[in-house]
Amino acid sequence: MIIKPRVRGFICLTAHPEGCEKNVTDQIDFTRLKGKIADGPKNVLVIGASTGFGLASRIVSAFGSDSSTIGVFFEKPPMEGKPATPGWYNTVAFEKEAHEKGLYAKSINGDAFSNEIKQKTIDLIKSDLKKIDLVIYSLASPRKVHPDTQQVYNSVIKPIGKTFENKTVDFHSGTVSNVVIEPCTEEEVNNTVEVMGGDDWERWIDILKKEDVLSSECLTIAYSYVGPEVTTPIYRNGSIGRAKDHLEQSAFKISEKLKDIDGKAYVSVNKALVTQASSAIPVIPLYISLLYKAMKEEGVHEGCIEQIYRLFETKLFSGEIPTDEKGRIRIDDWEMRPDIQAKVSQLWDKVTTENIGEIADLEGYRNDFFKLFGFGYDAVDYDVDVNELQEIPG
Ligand code: NAD
Ligand code: NA
């Protein structure tokens, strides 16, 4: 079929298999050029492996460290006349490239919160890899069905205690407007912590350890975010921030549980980037388009693959793991540089619908957004018929 973008608000309903392949091969090429990571991981499990930071983690593990990888994710397969979700095509491309290089790569598509998918993953590890030395936890989900009670929890992105009002942008039209978000209830906070906190990460590590598939000195990493003052009421001090607090606390709890096998759990605070998860958050797209402008001007802009390569090379696998006063790895260090933040905050005060094209990198934002779905690549001819019914090799 001929596949064009069909955008509804902050999501795109279609994805292009060849464009997604290009997205993946670009990341692989980047990794290959950077070269091998000394003392990198060997057998890696990535939970949330099909897009964003999780996909980049899988690519750096495989192509920067010759790792065998198992990827877990939740994507919709294609149907006749209806393309799959991007993470499906990303995985088709990833596995193809990995297998061509002689690397082990298998994937499990299903709900990572469920006991069933956890068991399936354990079975696959036992039959193929035996032990895992790195577990990346990179889920971003709006809801969770509790594995034991089947209760459904929905996460919200709202401030706590006080109405939030600030600028936001519709990144398609470039219209800057004011957004007002009412505070959430205590129940909404609890639900958000249930979905995006560390409970599921801990469950994964509990079962992996119980089933004896973690190697000694294994590492597990989950991803968090801090961000600037302008987004603090809606992000870090809001409902999602409570979930991130919980996730960060879980790292200590998990480390404690891994002590007897000399394993360690860390949270890495990553940079704000355009992903499917972040484009759904009000205010963040405006911040990101100003941040991109400032970071590109200073020559320190990074995408997911640059972030994760640097995380592996300079933080995880180069001796002592450096952390901040809260025990977190900071790969958002360049985003949080005082000169970058000063620039962004100065632009933030000035930005309007009239000047956004000039003072923000809205075009960079949009390009990155479309690329998430495989659109906007010069190398792809979007008028040509493509096979939407591609299968993950397995
Ligand atoms: P993403 O939307 O690109 O990736 C989410 C992944 O989770 C996908 O692989 C998806 O298939 C998988 N997933 C979702 N629900 C699932 C389920 N029920 N079962 C199995 N898999 C499921 O998101 P991302 O931005 O890469 O986010 C990953 C992590 O990084 C999140 O914890 C996020 O908070 C964090 N982070 C993101 C940013 C950012 O700016 N994007 C910055 C810092 C930290
Ligand atoms: Na991810």
Side-chain angles (χ1 to χ4, degrees):
M1 70 184 287
I2 290 170
I3 307 173
K4 298 278 161 96
R6 279 180 52 214
V7 174
R8 295 283 174 280
F10 50 76
I11 102 134
C12 180
L13 300 174
T14 48
H16 199 280
E18 281 179 17
C20 289
E21 178 174 14
K22 182 78 178 119
N23 180 9
V24 169
T25 53
D26 280 355
Q27 295 189 52
I28 292 173
D29 290 346
F30 170 88
T31 306
R32 281 197 167 125
L33 268 172
K34 287 294 253 183
K36 286 279 170 297
I37 291 159
D39 299 318
K42 283 295 151 255
N43 292 334
V44 181
L45 169 63
V46 183
I47 301 153
S50 54
T51 57
F53 284 111
L55 172 64
S57 305
R58 191 175 194 187
I59 291 172
V60 171
S61 298
F63 294 91
S65 187
D66 294 328
S67 287
S68 299
T69 60
I70 292 176
V72 178
F73 47 77
F74 210 6
E75 302 290 342
K76 282 205 181 76
M79 291 185 306
E80 191 83 51
K82 193 171 189 293
T85 48
W88 179 274
Y89 294 131
N90 290 343
T91 305
V92 172
F94 171 83
E95 282 203 12
K96 196 177 115 206
E97 295 289 325
H99 295 164
E100 264 169 28
K101 205 185 165 236
L103 293 172
Y104 175 97
K106 283 190 186 175
S107 303
I108 293 175
N109 187 27
D111 183 5
F113 293 122
S114 71
N115 294 327
E116 181 205 340
I117 290 298
K118 289 185 177 74
Q119 193 53 55
K120 242 180 146 171
T121 307
I122 303 276
D123 293 344
L124 185 60
I125 298 168
K126 282 188 174 168
S127 85
D128 293 1
L129 301 183
K130 315 295 177 208
K131 300 261 185 182
I132 295 292
D133 51 49
L134 174 64
V135 180
I136 299 286
Y137 188 81
S138 187
L139 278 201
S141 173
R143 71 196 281 275
K144 160 175 165 180
V145 179
H146 195 282
D148 300 331
T149 63
Q150 308 307 314
Q151 192 178 330
V152 178
Y153 296 93
N154 290 295
S155 70
V156 299
I157 295 181
K158 293 184 183 177
I160 296 175
K162 211 171 137 211
T163 303
F164 173 75
E165 185 173 354
N166 213 324
K167 292 177 181 178
T168 193
V169 69
D170 173 335
F171 59 86
H172 296 296
S173 67
T175 304
V176 177
S177 63
N178 245 34
V179 64
V180 177
I181 305 169
E182 296 303 328
C184 57
T185 62
E186 202 49 44
E187 192 190 348
E188 285 176 313
V189 174
N190 294 337
N191 292 351
T192 306
V193 171
E194 218 13 274
V195 181
M196 287 298 285
D199 173 72
D200 185 59
W201 182 24
E202 194 181 335
R203 280 171 189 269
W204 269 99
I205 300 302
D206 281 346
I207 187 164
L208 290 164
K209 179 155 188 262
K210 183 170 145 265
E211 299 280 346
D212 197 24
V213 294
L214 293 175
S215 55
S216 74
E217 294 183 41
C218 67
L219 272 182
T220 181
I221 313 292
Y223 297 139
S224 188
Y225 184 63
V226 174
E229 241 167 72
V230 283
T231 64
T232 295
I234 184 81
Y235 195 95
R236 196 62 212 210
N237 288 350
S239 51
I240 184 73
R242 287 288 177 82
K244 291 303 188 192
D245 291 344
H246 188 275
L247 185 80
E248 291 171 12
Q249 284 311 309
S250 300
F252 302 113
K253 219 171 145 192
I254 294 170
S255 278
E256 213 35 59
K257 290 182 171 183
L258 292 177
K259 249 190 175 147
D260 57 327
I261 57 169
D262 296 318
K264 278 283 235 170
Y266 289 94
V267 158
S268 169
V269 181
N270 296 352
K271 176 198 184 203
L273 277 170
V274 182
T275 64
Q276 290 181 71
S278 69
S279 39
I281 308 178
V283 190
I284 298 275
L286 181 58
Y287 168 71
I288 291 183
S289 54
L290 294 169
L291 179 73
Y292 274 27
K293 183 76 169 189
M295 294 188 81
K296 284 178 185 176
E297 268 173 16
E298 291 300 313
V300 291
H301 175 72
E302 297 173 300
C304 287
I305 195 70
E306 289 86 355
Q307 275 271 291
I308 299 300
Y309 191 92
R310 189 159 67 89
L311 172 68
F312 276 47
E313 189 191 33
T314 70
K315 312 276 184 190
L316 296 184
F317 301 105
S318 65
E320 191 82 356
I321 296 178
T323 58
D324 68 6
E325 73 289 351
K326 291 183 171 168
R328 306 172 297 196
I329 301 166
R330 301 300 295 261
I331 204 73
D332 66 337
D333 44 357
W334 297 352
E335 167 180 359
M336 300 312 283
R337 248 170 52 178
D339 62 320
I340 298 283
Q341 284 302 318
K343 184 74 191 277
V344 173
S345 120
Q346 182 204 338
L347 294 172
W348 183 274
D349 293 336
K350 276 204 300 203
V351 71
T352 62
T353 306
E354 287 66 43
N355 65 20
I356 188 165
E358 234 174 284
I359 71 170
D361 185 23
L362 196 60
E363 199 187 327
Y365 190 99
R366 272 192 212 123
N367 288 343
D368 277 8
F369 176 79
F370 282 106
K371 284 181 172 176
L372 297 176
F373 303 91
F375 295 108
Y377 285 98
D378 291 338
V380 177
D381 184 347
Y382 293 98
D383 293 320
V384 165
D385 232 304
V386 283
N387 175 20
E388 74 277 19
L389 295 173
Q390 300 189 12
E391 289 301 319
I392 294 171

